[in-house]
Amino acid sequence: AQKVTQAQTEISVVEKEDVTLDCVYETRDTTYYLFWYKQPPSGELVFLIRRNSFDEQNEISGRYSWNFQKSTSSFNFTITASQVVDSAVYFCALLTGTASKLTFGTGTRLQVTL
Amino acid sequence: GAGVSQSPSNKVTEKGKDVELRCDPISGHTALYWYRQSLGQGLEFLIYFQGNSAPDKSGLPSDRFSAERTGGSVSTLTIQRTQQEDSAVYLCASSTEIGQAYEQYFGPGTRLTVT
C-alpha cells in the first residue's frame, strides 16, 4: 500500500524566513513519481513539481527547491525568503506503477506573516 | 488555455436528495480523475476514466456514488440519496494520458453541503 506522511500540520513564519516542508512516503514499487501541489485560499490545487524515482537530483526553481532522498524515503520542499503570497496548504503526493491515482499526504498549512 | 472547469462551484442540498456534479477537462486530455477533499479524510481518490471507461472504481465510498464520462470529455459524478457525510469539496483533474509521467491538473472544485 502507498502512504504519504506530512508530519507538520501547520507552520508559521515571518516573511523572508526560509521554511522546509517535510514529506515521507512509503511504497514497495521501484518505479514511482512524487509531486508537490499548492492549494491557496482560493482552493484550486496548483501543480508545483513532479519527480520520478530514478532521478535523485535536487531541483531548484526560483525560491523553491526540492530535496529527494530515496535512502530516507523523503521528498522535502524548501521555500527560500518566504513571502506572504506563499501562504497556502501544501500537499505532497505519490503515484506508483500499480495505480494511476495520486495518494496525498494530509497537507501542511503554511502561514507567512509580515 | 482553458483549464479544468467544474460546476456548480457550490451546491447545498437536503439530505436524501440526488446531486450531479460536472467536470469539463482540459481539451485533449484523455484521462480524468475525481477526488474528494473533506476535513476528516483529507484528499482521497474516487474514480478515474481513461477515455469513457473507468478501470478503477475502488475509491467510490458506496453504491450511492456513480460517475460517467461521455465523448471522452465531460464527466458527471452523481450522488444519490445524499447524506451529511457526503459534504466535502469534490475535485476533478485531468491529464494528457494515464500514467505516472503525466501531471494531473485540477479544477476549482465543487463544494457540496448536505443539510
Side-chain angles (χ1 to χ4, degrees), chain A residues 41-77:
Chain A
S42 60
E44 193 159 339
L45 280 165
V46 177
F47 167 79
L48 295 178
I49 190 171
R50 178 189 71 233
R51 173 67 58 184
N52 75 56
S53 53
F54 298 108
D55 183 2
E56 285 194 73
Q57 279 193 340
N58 292 333
E59 181 152 342
I60 298 175
S61 177
R63 296 184 296 107
Y64 295 171
S65 62
W66 291 269
N67 180 257
F68 176 29
Q69 292 195 341
K70 289 180 75 171
S71 60
T72 55
S73 298
S74 65
F75 186 44
N76 295 338
F77 172 31

Side-chain angles (χ1 to χ4, degrees), chain B residues 42-65:
Chain B
L43 266 160
E44 54 180 341
F45 167 81
L46 297 178
I47 188 171
Y48 83 85
F49 289 89
Q50 174 63 28
N52 291 334
S53 65
D56 186 356
K57 301 181 182 180
S58 63
L60 293 177
S62 75
D63 58 8
R64 296 186 294 105
F65 287 72

Side-chain angles (χ1 to χ4, degrees), chain B residues 20-64:
Chain B
E20 283 190 354
L21 312 180
R22 177 189 168 105
C23 172
D24 271 285
I26 293 172
S27 178
H29 280 193
T30 62
L32 186 148
Y33 311 78
W34 284 98
Y35 293 85
R36 180 169 73 171
Q37 185 173 23
S38 58
L39 280 176
Q41 302 296 324
L43 266 160
E44 54 180 341
F45 167 81
L46 297 178
I47 188 171
Y48 83 85
F49 289 89
Q50 174 63 28
N52 291 334
S53 65
D56 186 356
K57 301 181 182 180
S58 63
L60 293 177
S62 75
D63 58 8
R64 296 186 294 105

Side-chain angles (χ1 to χ4, degrees), chain A residues 68-111:
Chain A
F68 176 29
Q69 292 195 341
K70 289 180 75 171
S71 60
T72 55
S73 298
S74 65
F75 186 44
N76 295 338
F77 172 31
T78 297
I79 301 174
T80 303
S82 59
Q83 300 177 0
V84 172
V85 293
D86 295 328
S87 297
V89 180
Y90 291 85
F91 291 94
C92 180
L94 170 68
L95 199 157
T96 69
T98 57
S100 293
K101 59 185 180 184
L102 286 166
T103 298
F104 286 91
T106 50
T108 298
R109 180 177 299 277
L110 175 64
Q111 185 72 36

